[in-house]
Amino acid sequence: MQQQGRRKTMRTIREIARLHLNKQLSLRAIAGACNLSVSTVQGYVKKIDALGLDYEAFTAIPDKALAEWLKPVPKIRDLRPGPDIQGLVEELKRSGTHITRQLLYEEYQQQHPDGYKKTRFYEMLNEWEMQDKATMRMTHTPGEKLFIDFSGDKPSWINPETGELMTPELYVGVLGGTSYTFACAVSSQKAEDFAAATVKAFEYFGGCPQLLVIDNLKSGVSHACYYDPEINPTFADLARHYSVAVLPARVRKPRDKAKVETGVLQVQRRILAPLRNRRFFSLEELNAAIAEALEALNSRLMYQYCKSRKELFLELEQHRLAPLPKERFTIGYWKKAKVHVDYHISVDKSYYSVPFRLIGKQVDIKYTGHLVLVYHEGEVVAQHIRTLKLGQYITDAAHMPHEHRFHREWSPERIRSWGSKIGPNTAALMDRIMLSKVHPEHGFRSCLGVIRLAKTYTPERLERAALKALELNLTNYKSIKSMMAKGLDAVTLFDQSASFTGIVHQNIRGGDYYATER
């Protein structure tokens, strides 16, 4: 039986109009054809007749306009003072309080005794909450998105040398189209481990998707922002290399990456749980076991599809992935630096030259195990083969100044004059440090460091330390700083001015004895 009071669809209303205006059927016949009560049909027929239109003109009216014309006149109760539904829902969401709907209704009744009754009050709250909780079911195109996240639960392995229990991170990647899953253990969530795991995921899938949907972890997103998130430089490099786009999920919006949330849950149940009682003694051994369990997960039948993830992947998604580039991605590390007065920048305690015009400027440095690249305003300004020798200077002759203002402002003479203001020993030490380098400019950094020690200690102590450094041939800033920090500049090993009187004894012949011929 047709329920009373429920608003009819526009299709039903148009059918009533057709049978009334075009077919001229009776109210009872229309009610029987539309499965409505006679009184309901009579109400709609009165509204249709009130428009004064024939059937052709009636059919030309858009649904939205027709709904406005036919909607019921507000009743007296709809004009009653309504509650602030949005504010009341926020009250209910507050954590740590004991606010109930009954309490909110009682407060509303105190303010508006002639307001809505409890049933309608609760209905309004429910309608608002359902609207607030509305979600959109996402249908992902095969080959379009790879969802990436780390599992909250972690695997473990035992360091055989120390017996320490290691708990690496569990990386999970899920393809949106078929839920084909990749998982591996990595040492940390650092950018280099995150990028390395993503490279392995691409190689496992045999291709690249169009988009990477990631969480707002620091290894992927340097600065989380709804409108303009800043992607971590290492991960941005990976995205450029594989021609993929990075789409960070919104902060505290797990539904943006519901696919990988489900994938993480499956990995925890189908991989971590079966491996919980096994012992592993290296990260490689752990990953071998994860790979074996992962194959079982992807080959497991999904009853809603009557196929496994692997079967769906091979059938629907594999051919839609972009091919991998010819060269494997090389993970690089990024840092910022200010160019020193010796026109060199420091990378892991080794020094690399940049054009001298950039002295005092901020540059971006990308370095790998074999190469160092220096960027200024997005352009490569220097490129060097990386050295692993600490304290080594790598200098490109093209970066050195030639008859330039810099060469007059920052010159060996200027460094020496600064040292002479402290004392002659310090000035001599400046010369000794610069002469010990292949190029005098390589000694500028050490010289300036030594001169600054006069502020930490005193010029008198630095002058005394410079004399000792000259005697011991010390040209290293750290050695001179250590000597002053330990107070060794004030220690006298022996008094060179003291005169030693020989012992006079009849059995001691003395040096003159051998000077005469016997």
Side-chain angles (χ1 to χ4, degrees):
M1 180 179 292
Q2 180 73 27
Q3 296 183 12
Q4 299 296 324
R6 180 177 295 178
R7 186 174 296 178
K8 307 305 176 287
T9 64
M10 295 308 301
R11 181 182 297 177
T12 301
I13 295 173
R14 289 187 182 277
E15 181 63 12
I16 294 172
R18 184 183 73 85
L19 297 177
H20 174 63
L21 297 175
N22 195 15
K23 298 297 182 181
Q24 288 83 40
L25 296 183
S26 65
L27 295 179
R28 189 172 296 279
I30 296 174
C34 296
N35 193 26
L36 299 173
S37 66
V38 176
S39 61
T40 300
V41 172
Q42 185 180 20
Y44 279 110
V45 167
K46 287 181 179 180
K47 293 177 181 179
I48 292 170
D49 288 341
L51 296 177
L53 302 174
D54 58 13
Y55 180 65
E56 291 184 359
F58 185 87
T59 56
I61 301 175
D63 283 356
K64 187 175 181 180
L66 185 60
E68 288 291 327
W69 288 343
L70 298 179
K71 70 181 181 180
V73 178
K75 297 181 181 179
I76 299 300
R77 60 175 181 154
D78 292 332
L79 301 178
R80 297 174 185 178
D84 178 13
I85 298 297
Q86 184 177 0
L88 295 178
V89 171
E90 291 298 326
E91 288 279 345
L92 289 172
K93 287 182 178 179
R94 289 182 183 176
S95 59
T97 61
H98 300 283
I99 298 175
T100 63
R101 296 184 180 207
Q102 177 66 28
L103 175 62
L104 295 178
Y105 173 70
E106 291 174 358
E107 293 175 350
Y108 167 70
Q109 278 289 299
Q110 292 175 1
Q111 296 179 2
H112 306 287
D114 57 341
Y116 293 102
K117 299 301 180 183
K118 183 188 293 186
T119 301
R120 180 55 186 157
F121 181 85
Y122 283 12
E123 286 178 353
M124 296 170 74
L125 283 177
N126 290 335
E127 289 170 1
W128 185 274
E129 286 183 328
M130 292 305 297
Q131 177 184 353
D132 190 42
K133 292 178 179 178
T135 58
M136 180 176 64
R137 185 170 181 84
M138 301 294 293
T139 302
H140 302 293
T141 304
E144 181 184 24
K145 294 179 181 178
L146 172 64
F147 295 84
I148 301 173
D149 201 359
F150 284 100
S151 167
D153 296 338
K154 303 178 183 180
S156 62
W157 62 277
I158 301 172
N159 189 328
E161 297 181 357
T162 63
E164 182 182 1
L165 183 66
M166 312 298 292
T167 54
E169 302 288 340
L170 184 61
Y171 171 100
V172 180
V174 180
L175 288 173
T178 59
S179 297
Y180 195 53
T181 304
F182 170 77
C184 71
V186 293
S187 299
S188 69
Q189 290 191 18
K190 291 182 179 179
E192 53 269 25
D193 290 326
F194 186 51
T198 304
V199 172
K200 292 180 181 178
F202 289 161
E203 294 173 350
Y204 180 80
F205 298 135
C208 307
Q210 299 174 23
L211 289 170
L212 299 179
V213 182
I214 64 175
D215 204 355
N216 282 281
L217 65 166
K218 286 294 184 181
S219 52
V221 181
S222 299
H223 176 68
C225 176
Y226 179 83
Y227 300 102
D228 188 19
E230 182 181 343
I231 306 301
N232 183 284
T234 300
F235 203 73
D237 266 352
L238 179 144
R240 283 190 292 269
H241 183 83
Y242 289 100
S243 299
V244 298
V246 180
L247 181 62
R250 294 174 295 172
V251 178
R252 293 186 294 275
K253 296 292 182 181
R255 288 171 181 164
D256 288 359
K257 50 183 180 63
K259 179 72 71 171
V260 74
E261 295 288 343
T262 304
V264 167
L265 181 61
Q266 289 296 321
V267 167
Q268 290 172 348
R269 289 176 175 175
R270 301 291 174 182
I271 296 179
L272 284 185
L275 298 180
R276 67 187 184 280
N277 294 324
R278 292 180 57 180
R279 289 188 174 186
F280 305 98
F281 296 95
S282 68
L283 187 62
E284 293 74 17
E285 185 181 351
L286 172 62
N287 273 321
I290 290 175
E292 184 179 347
L294 178 64
E295 186 65 25
L297 170 63
N298 283 326
S299 300
R300 188 172 181 272
L301 185 69
M302 294 190 293
Y303 292 102
Q304 66 269 37
Y305 300 109
C306 297
K307 292 183 179 180
S308 67
R309 290 174 174 81
K310 188 172 185 179
E311 289 173 330
L312 288 174
F313 170 72
L314 296 175
E315 179 181 341
L316 301 176
E317 198 152 25
Q318 185 180 42
H319 63 281
R320 300 195 180 194
L321 298 175
L324 295 172
K326 294 181 180 180
E327 295 184 2
R328 197 171 192 260
F329 177 68
T330 302
I331 296 174
Y333 303 86
W334 287 84
K335 63 176 291 187
K336 293 182 179 294
K338 187 176 181 180
V339 180
H340 199 262
V341 295
D342 61 357
Y343 57 90
H344 284 70
I345 48 91
S346 174
V347 175
D348 280 352
K349 300 181 181 179
S350 298
Y351 304 97
Y352 301 85
S353 67
V354 299
F356 66 89
R357 59 183 173 81
L358 297 177
I359 290 175
K361 301 291 181 64
Q362 193 85 7
V363 294
D364 295 307
I365 307 167
K366 177 188 176 182
Y367 58 99
T368 66
H370 307 286
L371 195 65
V372 175
L373 294 171
V374 184
Y375 294 82
H376 179 64
E377 296 180 349
E379 295 185 1
V380 178
V381 294
Q383 179 174 327
H384 299 279
I385 301 298
R386 187 177 175 189
T387 179
L388 299 180
K389 185 177 180 181
L390 299 182
Q392 182 76 15
Y393 276 83
I394 305 298
T395 305
D396 187 341
H399 297 160
M400 300 178 67
H402 297 286
E403 301 299 325
H404 193 268
R405 178 185 175 190
F406 163 80
H407 195 62
R408 294 194 299 270
E409 289 185 354
W410 293 100
S411 63
E413 288 74 18
R414 186 178 186 185
I415 299 295
R416 188 183 302 108
S417 68
W418 280 2
S420 63
K421 292 179 181 179
I422 297 174
N425 294 329
T426 306
L429 180 60
M430 299 297 101
D431 283 333
R432 180 76 62 84
I433 292 174
M434 289 185 285
L435 288 173
S436 67
K437 307 295 182 181
V438 177
H439 301 285
E441 291 86 351
H442 292 175
F444 286 1
R445 189 185 302 261
S446 295
C447 289
L448 293 176
V450 171
I451 291 173
R452 289 193 185 99
L453 292 176
K455 297 180 179 179
T456 305
Y457 304 100
T458 62
E460 292 75 19
R461 283 194 60 186
L462 178 58
E463 178 69 4
R464 188 165 61 244
L467 176 61
K468 285 192 172 295
L470 290 170
E471 293 174 352
L472 301 174
N473 197 27
L474 299 179
T475 58
N476 184 282
Y477 162 75
K478 289 185 178 180
S479 300
I480 299 172
K481 179 182 177 181
S482 176
M483 178 174 60
M484 297 188 70
K486 296 177 180 179
L488 298 179
D489 55 297
V491 176
T492 302
L493 297 180
F494 57 88
D495 190 355
Q496 294 179 343
S497 61
S499 58
F500 293 93
T501 304
I503 299 175
V504 179
H505 190 274
Q506 60 180 357
N507 293 331
I508 297 177
R509 288 175 285 187
D512 294 339
Y513 176 82
Y514 297 97
T516 58
E517 294 183 359
R518 297 287 176 183

